[in-house]
Amino acid sequence: MELGTLPTPSPVKRTPAQRSAAYASHRAERRHLLERLAIVAFVGDLVVTAGMLLFSYALRFHTKLKFIGLIDPRVTLETYSGQMALGLGVMMVLLVRGRIYQPQRLTSFIFAASGIAKASFYWLLSFMALALLLRFDPSISRIYCAVAFVYCMIGLLTWRLLLCRYLRREPMAGRIRERVLFVGWTEDCNKISQLLLDSARRPYEVIGVVPISEGYAHAPPEEIPQLGNYNALESIFNEQQIDVVFMADLSTSRDELTRLANLCEKELIDYKIIPSAFQILLSGLHLETLNGVPVLGVSRLPLQSLLNQSIKRTVDVVGALCGIIVGAPIIAIFGYLVRRESPGPIFYKQVRVGRNGKLFTIYKIRSMRLDAEADGKAGWSTAEDPRRLAIGSTIRKWNIDEIPQFWNVLKGEMSLVGPRPERPELITNFREVIPHYNARHNIKPGITGWAQINGLRGNTDLTERIKCDIFYIENWNVLLDVQIMVLTFIKRDNAY
């Protein structure tokens, strides 16, 4: 050894128990960080909401808005502080009930925005209702409520957008990202892994897959590493610092499922089972107990809520009235053009299948010849349908033929947004040959829908259309309806 040099210290070897304790400590640190970030999100929402309520007070009572309507001369910041404190409390309760503080969802701005929008809408209704019931003195200004509704939503959305962007940047993203291991592989795992790999909104990293003793039910994709074998799970957990385990293949024995659950519990790893028996309506899965026995079933879908049904019906009625008023001159113009090209009725009536399989009559502006179905055979329209009138292409491209269906919406037979209703003679055997077809009949059909804005209308792949309909049923919210209605007018390339 040369003079002045020191020997390189050999790495300290740790026992398996020491390594396991170190990795468990690392996982605990990550979870504590996520919990602290959830608290930061809550406190931030609280501060922003309080600030926006004060800002709205200043706008209403100390700007030109004070000349609109009547203002109680007793209104001061001090006399209004109780009303604002109540408004703050109501908003925070609604945000908490919206579950937007789940640590694993903090990086998803879309999830937070949806929860904030719904909470703000419910806040406006509930706060004004409380004002009537409690009879504050001085009373709460309705203009103040409207201004606070707008600015609270803007403030919360802006703050959450900044928070999400910060959490998605390195090194913070690496500190909160949880490492995922699949045990076994099924067809459903392809969807889950692709979502986790492609989405920056979800703080997960897919580390690999381990086969159960019988092998894989389905072969995993090449980009998912295969790590060791099932008997070496404990060492894999520690070496790869696994945070979450997805048990995918339930063909293994109950004893093995229990053993894996106990191992995950010992290592402080989240243990999740993919219930392959439930291929649809997964967001509605609900665990309950019957006399101490856990039972997993499909329930609690968004539109099973009476409140959500009432909100959707209110939007439908308002939208249908507006559609009828705005659409009346359009119907008159295109009705004249249709009649000039093809003398006869300008409206076309068909029997369609509605909610719970109930039949109803749908109305359209006629876009085809009167003898389009002279042979008595029902069929879907196609992109270059020879039966179509010359004006029919424009009518179909701009969805003008659907305008009379606002009357169906007003009658309660349809909704503005939902699965498109089909003709009963075309779908007689669909429930037997297309998986989950009848699930779309759990809600009212719509003038437009998620499938339609994705180019799936007319003579297109029914299986893909049903998948879109199921997605809509599972994920319904007011913002999704608004998004679909807006995109209906933008995405017309596939309309025919």
Side-chain angles (χ1 to χ4, degrees):
M1 184 177 2
E2 296 181 7
L3 185 65
T5 62
L6 296 174
T8 302
S10 58
V12 177
K13 292 185 178 181
R14 293 186 293 182
T15 65
Q18 290 173 326
R19 287 198 302 269
S20 178
Y23 296 144
S25 175
H26 182 71
R27 286 192 293 266
E29 262 183 50
R30 181 183 294 121
R31 289 173 188 175
H32 289 157
L33 176 60
L34 283 169
E35 290 171 0
R36 289 196 296 271
L37 288 173
I39 294 172
V40 168
F42 177 84
V43 173
D45 289 349
L46 180 69
V47 171
V48 168
T49 302
M52 290 300 103
L53 290 174
L54 286 169
F55 180 67
S56 300
Y57 169 85
L59 284 178
R60 174 65 181 104
F61 300 109
H62 297 284
T63 66
K64 292 182 179 180
L65 286 177
K66 67 182 179 181
F67 300 113
I68 301 175
L70 297 176
I71 293 180
D72 192 324
R74 294 172 297 167
V75 170
T76 63
L77 183 59
E78 183 180 356
T79 59
Y80 229 64
S81 59
Q83 288 89 320
M84 288 190 287
L86 176 65
L88 178 61
V90 171
M91 177 65 84
M92 297 314 298
V93 168
L94 291 170
L95 289 173
V96 170
R97 285 185 60 84
R99 299 181 299 175
I100 65 172
Y101 302 109
Q102 299 177 33
Q104 288 76 18
R105 295 292 194 101
L106 290 177
T107 55
S108 174
F109 175 70
I110 292 178
F111 180 79
S114 175
I116 289 168
K118 285 190 285 187
S120 300
F121 179 74
Y122 294 148
W123 177 86
L124 180 62
L125 297 179
S126 58
F127 193 45
M128 293 182 69
L130 284 172
L132 293 174
L133 291 173
L134 300 179
R135 297 184 179 180
F136 290 107
D137 188 24
S139 61
I140 295 177
S141 165
R142 285 173 290 181
I143 295 177
Y144 170 76
C145 290
V147 172
F149 162 72
V150 173
Y151 280 98
C152 281
M153 189 158 58
I154 292 174
L156 288 170
L157 289 175
T158 303
W159 143 247
R160 279 307 193 95
L161 178 62
L162 295 175
L163 178 62
C164 288
R165 287 188 173 179
Y166 169 71
L167 295 180
R168 291 183 195 176
R169 296 178 60 181
E170 299 294 345
M172 177 55 72
R175 293 179 62 193
I176 65 175
R177 196 175 292 124
E178 295 192 299
R179 299 166 67 84
V180 174
L181 176 72
F182 287 88
V183 177
W185 195 268
T186 62
E187 194 173 349
D188 290 331
C189 295
N190 290 322
K191 303 174 187 176
I192 296 175
S193 63
Q194 201 60 45
L195 180 65
L196 299 181
L197 290 170
D198 292 347
S199 178
R201 297 171 300 177
R202 298 175 184 270
Y204 296 105
E205 180 182 0
V206 179
I207 300 303
V209 57
V210 172
I212 58 174
S213 54
E214 294 81 7
Y216 297 110
H218 292 270
E222 294 181 357
E223 62 267 25
I224 305 295
Q226 300 185 40
L227 309 173
N229 60 66
Y230 185 75
N231 294 324
L233 272 179
E234 187 168 359
S235 61
I236 292 173
F237 287 169
N238 291 324
E239 290 170 4
Q240 300 295 334
Q241 301 184 37
I242 302 301
D243 298 292
V244 182
V245 167
F246 282 99
M247 181 59 181
D249 194 342
L250 301 185
S251 62
T252 188
S253 67
R254 180 175 178 176
D255 290 341
E256 284 300 320
L257 292 174
T258 304
R259 188 180 78 85
L260 180 56
N262 291 336
L263 178 60
C264 289
E265 181 183 9
K266 184 181 74 172
E267 298 292 336
L268 298 178
I269 294 174
D270 286 344
Y271 178 53
K272 303 180 185 296
I273 294 178
I274 302 174
S276 56
F278 296 90
Q279 296 297 321
I280 61 168
L281 305 178
L282 294 179
S283 64
L285 285 183
H286 170 61
L287 183 66
E288 58 185 42
T289 57
L290 298 177
N291 198 24
V293 178
V295 178
L296 189 65
V298 177
S299 63
R300 296 187 179 180
L301 292 168
L303 284 174
Q304 288 179 331
S305 161
L306 184 60
L307 178 60
N308 288 342
Q309 289 177 18
S310 301
I311 293 172
K312 187 169 176 65
R313 181 58 183 157
T314 301
V315 173
D316 284 345
V317 171
V318 174
L321 289 173
C322 294
I324 290 172
I325 294 171
V326 174
I330 300 175
I331 292 175
I333 293 170
F334 281 90
Y336 167 76
L337 296 174
V338 168
R339 194 177 185 88
R340 187 178 69 173
E341 181 180 348
S342 174
I346 65 172
F347 292 113
Y348 179 57
K349 297 189 292 184
Q350 275 185 347
V351 175
R352 297 290 179 100
V353 181
R355 185 183 182 190
N356 298 324
K358 184 178 179 180
L359 302 181
F360 70 99
T361 301
I362 197 174
Y363 301 94
K364 288 189 172 188
I365 296 178
R366 184 164 58 89
S367 61
M368 296 193 181
R369 303 191 312 264
L370 287 174
D371 61 350
E373 292 186 351
D375 56 3
K377 295 181 179 179
W380 278 290
S381 61
T382 58
E384 301 296 334
D385 202 313
R387 304 170 296 170
R388 185 183 301 167
L389 300 174
I391 191 63
S393 298
T394 301
I395 290 175
R396 303 280 290 193
K397 179 179 180 180
W398 291 88
N399 300 306
I400 294 169
D401 57 325
E402 315 288 2
I403 293 177
Q405 290 165 34
F406 286 118
W407 178 245
N408 292 110
V409 175
L410 200 59
K411 291 169 63 180
E413 297 166 335
M414 294 178 63
S415 177
L416 294 176
V417 181
R420 283 297 294 165
E422 303 289 0
R423 301 175 64 176
E425 57 267 34
L426 293 177
I427 63 172
T428 305
N429 298 317
F430 283 176
R431 67 178 183 178
E432 307 294 340
V433 297
I434 299 179
H436 325 309
Y437 180 81
N438 261 1
R440 70 200 303 273
H441 293 144
N442 285 322
I443 64 172
K444 291 179 184 178
I447 295 178
T448 185
W450 186 249
Q452 283 63 50
I453 66 169
N454 283 284
L456 298 168
R457 59 178 294 178
N459 189 21
T460 52
D461 188 341
L462 266 175
T463 302
E464 291 302 315
R465 285 165 63 182
I466 301 308
K467 288 181 180 178
C468 287
D469 292 341
I470 297 300
F471 171 86
Y472 174 78
I473 293 171
E474 288 187 298
N475 296 279
W476 177 88
N477 59 67
V478 174
L479 288 180
L480 180 59
D481 274 3
V482 172
Q483 176 187 354
I484 292 171
M485 286 187 278
V486 171
L487 290 177
T488 297
F489 295 97
I490 298 175
K491 295 189 174 183
R492 298 185 305 272
D493 297 339
N494 295 313
Y496 51 83

